[in-house]
């Protein structure tokens, strides 16, 4: 089966029909919810905090619904107008913005406490239109992502890398843009259950990655990187709705 990003750019692939099918598919809803719950777990946000979370590639707002259930305020950005229309029609509690993340995020510095992304950043690895250079688009995204986060903020980006070359390219660009952290792989020995999360930190220094799932009886499946881009393996074991103008206050 062809990967969606090989078929068409996201704003074309996720047309009106595909957006409706995606959002009404009970299996897709369940998977999206499970991935979002795991991303939130990896963020480790303080229980008494009231964070503002950015959802990159928010689509129809399925992940946003989970964020709202946790009491988090959120803003979503996506390139598919059709998916965003579904989110608006469903009256999701977050604000949404149509934007190409490969052009860099349009938000003011230190706008967000945390960032999640579910099944989105692999789209940046393809040259799907004339003049698109994946490395440059990734650099624009990660550089703007770093500046959009509060100092000490975290980002958890779940994605589907196609191969090791993509993993090296994405993690390398992220670290050159100032992030520390690394790639965490849940259930690394399972073909079906294996999931990749890029867990990123701001603020300098090297922080330990959380424990990967499915590795309790084996070496932790994760690699960390410092700000120089060098990698090493760690072998240690109801939301408040922001007003409609809040998104505009954050945009440059």
């Amino acid at each position: 089966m062809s990967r969606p990003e090989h078929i068409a750019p996201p704003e074309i692939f996720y047309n009106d029909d595909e957006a409706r099918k995606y959002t009404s598919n009970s299996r897709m809803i369940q998977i999206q919810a499970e991935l979002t719950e795991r991303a939130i777990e990896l963020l480790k946000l303080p229980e008494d905090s009231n964070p503002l979370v950015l959802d990159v590639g928010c689509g129809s707002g399925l992940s946003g619904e989970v964020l709202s259930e946790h009491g988090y305020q959120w803003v979503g950005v996506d390139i598919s107008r059709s998916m965003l229309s579904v989110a608006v029609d469903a009256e999701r509690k977050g604000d949404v913005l149509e934007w190409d993340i490969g052009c860099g995020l349009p938000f003011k510095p230190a706008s967000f406490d945390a960032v999640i992304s579910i099944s989105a950043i692999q789209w940046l690895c393809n040259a799907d239109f004339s003049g698109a250079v994946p490395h440059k688009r990734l650099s624009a995204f990660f550089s703007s992502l770093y500046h959009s986060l509060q100092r000490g903020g975290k980002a958890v980006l779940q994605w589907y890398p196609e191969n090791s070359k993509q993993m090296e390219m994405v993690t390398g660009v992220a670290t050159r843009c100032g992030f520390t952290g690394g790639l965490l792989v849940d259930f690394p020995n399972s073909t079906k259950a294996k999931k990749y999360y890029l867990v990123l930190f701001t603020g300098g220094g090297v922080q330990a990655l959380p424990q990967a799932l499915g590795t309790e009886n084996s070496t932790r499946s994760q690699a960390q990187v410092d700000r120089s881009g060098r990698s090493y393996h760690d072998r240690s074991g109801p939301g408040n709705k922001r007003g409609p103008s809040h998104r505009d206050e954050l945009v440059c």
Side-chain angles (χ1 to χ4, degrees), residues 10-195:
E11 66 272 26
I12 296 175
F13 181 85
Y14 289 109
N15 55 28
D16 290 347
D17 289 340
E18 192 66 29
R20 284 193 295 269
K21 286 193 295 183
Y22 188 97
T23 311
S24 61
N25 186 307
S26 59
R27 175 167 170 74
M28 293 305 300
I29 294 172
Q30 179 183 355
I31 292 173
Q32 188 88 8
E34 291 173 352
L35 294 174
T36 305
E37 289 286 1
R38 177 58 171 153
I40 292 172
E41 179 184 16
L42 292 171
L43 282 176
K44 294 185 176 180
L45 295 172
E47 291 185 5
D48 58 348
S49 65
N50 182 30
L52 179 61
V53 181
L54 174 63
D55 182 3
V56 174
C58 66
S60 57
L62 294 178
S63 292
E65 284 290 275
V66 180
L67 290 170
S68 295
E69 290 170 2
H70 280 264
Y72 301 149
Q73 301 174 80
W74 60 277
V75 173
V77 59
D78 201 283
I79 196 174
S80 170
R81 183 172 299 180
S82 296
M83 291 289 264
L84 293 176
S85 294
V86 174
V88 172
D89 292 343
E91 298 183 348
R92 308 294 191 200
K93 292 182 178 180
D95 291 329
V96 294
L97 173 69
E98 182 181 349
W99 194 264
D100 179 2
I101 63 173
C103 294
L105 297 169
F107 304 107
K108 296 175 182 177
S111 290
F112 300 98
D113 301 293
V115 176
I116 68 164
S117 180
I118 306 299
S119 311
I121 64 171
Q122 67 267 13
W123 292 87
L124 293 176
C125 297
N126 294 301
D128 50 16
F129 61 89
S130 178
V133 180
H135 188 275
K136 290 184 178 180
R137 286 172 58 76
L138 284 165
S139 293
F141 168 64
F142 280 112
S143 177
S144 60
L145 182 68
Y146 186 88
H147 292 292
S148 296
L149 275 165
Q150 296 272 359
R151 185 167 180 81
K154 302 175 185 177
V156 175
L157 316 176
Q158 182 274 328
W159 63 307
Y160 294 100
E162 187 171 2
N163 49 47
S164 60
K165 184 177 180 179
Q166 276 192 5
M167 286 188 273
E168 292 172 3
M169 177 173 65
V170 170
T171 55
V173 171
T175 55
R176 284 191 291 274
C177 289
F179 285 106
T180 57
L183 191 65
L184 182 146
V185 186
D186 281 346
F187 305 105
N189 300 316
S190 171
T191 302
K192 286 187 175 182
K194 182 187 295 184
K195 294 293 182 294

Side-chain angles (χ1 to χ4, degrees), residues 190-239:
S190 171
T191 302
K192 286 187 175 182
K194 182 187 295 184
K195 294 293 182 294
Y196 294 85
Y197 296 85
L198 193 58
V199 182
L200 303 174
F201 310 107
T202 64
V206 177
Q207 301 184 47
L209 289 178
Q211 173 72 49
L213 299 179
T215 61
E216 289 79 5
N217 297 320
S218 61
T219 300
R220 291 172 69 172
S221 180
Q222 57 193 45
Q224 291 186 254
V225 289
D226 61 22
R227 293 187 68 168
S228 68
R230 294 172 299 191
S231 64
Y232 67 91
H233 289 278
D234 182 349
R235 299 187 181 279
S236 63

